[in-house]
Amino acid sequence: MQRDTLVFDLINKELERQRHGLELIASENFASLQVIQATGNVMMNKYAEGYPGRRYYGGCEIVDQTEQLAIDRLKQIFNCEYANVQPHSGAQANAAVMLAVLQPGDAILGLDLSMGGHLTHGSGVNFSGKLYKPHFYAVTKNEGLVDYEMLETKAREIKPKMIICGASAYSREWDYARIRKVADEIGAFVMCDMAHPAGLIAKNLLASPFEHCHFVTSTTHKTLRGPRGGVILIKKDSENPFGLKDVKGNLRMMSNLMDMAVFPGTQGGPLEHEIAAKAIAFGEILTDEFTGYARQIIANAQAMAKAFAEKDYQIISGGTDNHLMLIDLRNKNISGKKAEAVLGKADITINKNMVPYDDKSAFVTSGIRVGVPAITTRGMNEGHMQFVVNSIDKVLMNPDDENVVAGIKKEVNEFMEQFKLYPELG
Ligand code: DSN
């Protein structure tokens, strides 16, 4: 077969883009070369519907071992009794949890998308808002912190079957115990989607959701720095507080219900090559090196937030406890959309983001979301954050001056030279 140079040239261009740019999208990261290499391996050819030791296909002896390794390592990282490593994404993981324990039409309560929540937490354009009856809590207008009183009031009024915590654009700690307390009062499950801060939770740098949430889901490619994918975790497998049964009416352990909800409930054959890459990434997370990485993420985010604040940027909630921050640009007279576009011209990648109580649409937005996991992987420390913030500031203060923007692009490209990315790839 002739090599498809058209596609491989594009892959190489993407490598160069990643090398030369400042990657500040909070949900992105640079997986290690061994993780990337494992995503393109011959296990991709294998069908393995089912789970290790109980498959619907022959020839699964080897993929059983990589999948079991991924499960065991993930359980070790988070000290959990149950892990499912098959979800193809975080959205698939959330879909499986909901399928496992909800009935169509059941009420759910999550953080509003426009307040930092996620599509799969009940948005009307997503399965979660179409199959279930979504209700939302917000963040407070003044502080930008989760409004737990609103959450509790709505929970008592609506009596949802599930309360969802976790977010895509929220920079502060969660009070999982408080959410569980009201959930117990009304007989609801609690699901935490820890996709964003999972790598920090893995190293005990943020509060753990596991004691208080019946289910915890995550992606594997954000702060966990693995391949693209999802996972589901349960701290105590025996916990089946509402006597849930399977389709045949048998009382089931939560792990059984969850396994069935992933396959055959929402997915077919697992992506065993991705699962092999997950196993490698989980092995990396178990090292002391990753502990240092996670600590550096928090140090960098705090240094960055301080540098932004010194330039009078309005950070929602006034700062960050994790790897990201949400910035309201209204006092800078530039929309999130324009900021994203003009920063892109300077090879600085961020995403426009609605801020709480935004007066602009999701396509325009008043804010941007900025995160440090990827630049921390590149090797940056607190001392480098001033350059990053200065570069962003110069662009946003001169968005229509092509010379300024081009000058910053040149500076960014030169700056990034010192942080080698995949040098083995030539
Ligand atoms: N799209 C992801 C993010 O950027 O946060 C969430 O799934």
Side-chain angles (χ1 to χ4, degrees), residues 204-379:
N204 301 315
L205 300 176
L206 290 175
S208 168
F210 289 99
E211 295 295 334
H212 306 291
C213 303
H214 299 91
F215 319 105
V216 178
T217 60
S218 184
T219 53
T220 46
H221 47 273
K222 296 185 176 87
T223 48
L224 288 179
R225 205 166 63 177
R228 299 195 82 84
V231 293
I232 302 170
L233 288 146
I234 298 175
K235 175 80 180 165
K236 270 180 77 73
D237 179 24
S238 56
E239 196 164 0
N240 184 350
F242 308 124
L244 292 173
K245 297 185 175 130
D246 67 10
V247 282
K248 291 185 183 147
N250 298 318
L251 198 62
R252 289 287 198 158
M253 299 283 279
M254 297 313 301
S255 57
N256 294 138
L257 291 171
M258 210 51 69
D259 276 351
M260 288 191 296
V262 174
F263 170 81
T266 51
Q267 293 188 172
L271 309 178
E272 291 297 343
H273 55 304
E274 290 288 331
I275 290 172
K278 284 176 182 173
I280 294 172
F282 299 156
E284 292 176 355
I285 293 164
L286 285 165
T287 63
D288 290 342
E289 200 182 326
F290 197 92
T291 310
Y293 167 64
R295 287 201 182 114
Q296 191 63 53
I297 287 181
I298 291 187
N300 284 353
Q302 290 182 357
M304 179 181 273
K306 186 165 173 282
F308 271 123
E310 280 166 7
K311 290 185 180 297
D312 195 30
Y313 282 86
Q314 305 294 307
I315 299 170
I316 303 298
S317 85
T320 181
D321 296 328
N322 57 30
H323 61 298
L324 65 77
M325 63 212 72
L326 187 56
I327 301 174
D328 187 338
L329 292 174
R330 280 178 284 198
N331 65 331
K332 301 288 182 183
N333 295 318
I334 184 167
S335 70
K337 183 180 176 183
K338 184 157 182 181
E340 180 187 297
V342 72
L343 286 167
K345 287 184 188 163
D347 285 353
I348 300 171
T349 318
I350 52 93
N351 63 278
K352 62 177 176 283
N353 214 102
M354 287 182 91
V355 295
Y357 307 95
D358 209 326
D359 54 340
K360 300 192 184 74
S361 76
F363 294 104
V364 179
T365 81
S366 296
I368 53 173
R369 186 185 64 163
V370 186
V372 300
I375 57 171
T376 306
T377 297
R378 289 294 293 265

Side-chain angles (χ1 to χ4, degrees), residues 176-206:
Y176 302 112
R178 188 164 175 184
I179 296 172
R180 176 62 183 261
K181 192 160 177 279
V182 72
D184 282 346
E185 194 186 308
I186 61 168
F189 284 109
V190 181
M191 178 180 90
C192 172
D193 179 344
M194 65 166 184
H196 266 269
L200 307 178
I201 292 169
K203 293 297 177 178
N204 301 315
L205 300 176
L206 290 175

Side-chain angles (χ1 to χ4, degrees), residues 40-305:
N41 82 73
V42 295
M43 287 181 178
M44 197 201 69
N45 297 326
K46 190 73 199 90
Y47 250 119
E49 284 176 7
Y51 289 95
R54 45 199 172 103
R55 306 279 191 183
Y56 288 87
Y57 290 80
C60 291
E61 306 79 35
I62 314 288
V63 295
D64 271 7
Q65 292 176 52
T66 43
E67 185 165 339
Q68 194 58 52
L69 202 53
I71 292 168
D72 292 343
R73 287 178 175 176
L74 185 61
K75 281 164 49 174
Q76 191 185 341
I77 292 168
F78 292 107
N79 193 19
C80 282
E81 287 182 9
Y82 169 81
N84 191 309
V85 298
Q86 291 193 2
H88 303 330
S89 68
Q92 292 287 120
N94 290 348
V97 171
M98 291 185 199
L99 182 77
V101 299
L102 299 176
Q103 295 298 321
D106 278 351
I108 56 175
L109 178 61
L111 179 63
D112 197 299
L113 182 61
S114 69
M115 301 276 162
H118 189 257
L119 279 170
T120 56
H121 300 179
S123 165
V125 296
N126 181 261
F127 77 89
S128 55
K130 286 176 184 277
L131 291 181
Y132 309 108
K133 205 159 180 301
H135 297 269
F136 300 102
Y137 55 94
V139 299
T140 55
K141 205 162 188 171
N142 291 336
E143 299 90 355
L145 299 173
V146 165
D147 188 340
Y148 289 97
E149 275 177 29
M150 177 193 264
L151 187 156
E152 287 162 346
T153 305
K154 287 206 167 189
R156 287 181 187 122
E157 263 170 36
I158 297 154
K159 297 205 170 29
K161 285 275 163 50
M162 180 182 282
I163 301 176
I164 302 162
C165 54
S168 290
Y170 185 64
S171 63
R172 294 302 191 179
E173 267 289 14
W174 286 81
D175 190 344
Y176 302 112
R178 188 164 175 184
I179 296 172
R180 176 62 183 261
K181 192 160 177 279
V182 72
D184 282 346
E185 194 186 308
I186 61 168
F189 284 109
V190 181
M191 178 180 90
C192 172
D193 179 344
M194 65 166 184
H196 266 269
L200 307 178
I201 292 169
K203 293 297 177 178
N204 301 315
L205 300 176
L206 290 175
S208 168
F210 289 99
E211 295 295 334
H212 306 291
C213 303
H214 299 91
F215 319 105
V216 178
T217 60
S218 184
T219 53
T220 46
H221 47 273
K222 296 185 176 87
T223 48
L224 288 179
R225 205 166 63 177
R228 299 195 82 84
V231 293
I232 302 170
L233 288 146
I234 298 175
K235 175 80 180 165
K236 270 180 77 73
D237 179 24
S238 56
E239 196 164 0
N240 184 350
F242 308 124
L244 292 173
K245 297 185 175 130
D246 67 10
V247 282
K248 291 185 183 147
N250 298 318
L251 198 62
R252 289 287 198 158
M253 299 283 279
M254 297 313 301
S255 57
N256 294 138
L257 291 171
M258 210 51 69
D259 276 351
M260 288 191 296
V262 174
F263 170 81
T266 51
Q267 293 188 172
L271 309 178
E272 291 297 343
H273 55 304
E274 290 288 331
I275 290 172
K278 284 176 182 173
I280 294 172
F282 299 156
E284 292 176 355
I285 293 164
L286 285 165
T287 63
D288 290 342
E289 200 182 326
F290 197 92
T291 310
Y293 167 64
R295 287 201 182 114
Q296 191 63 53
I297 287 181
I298 291 187
N300 284 353
Q302 290 182 357
M304 179 181 273

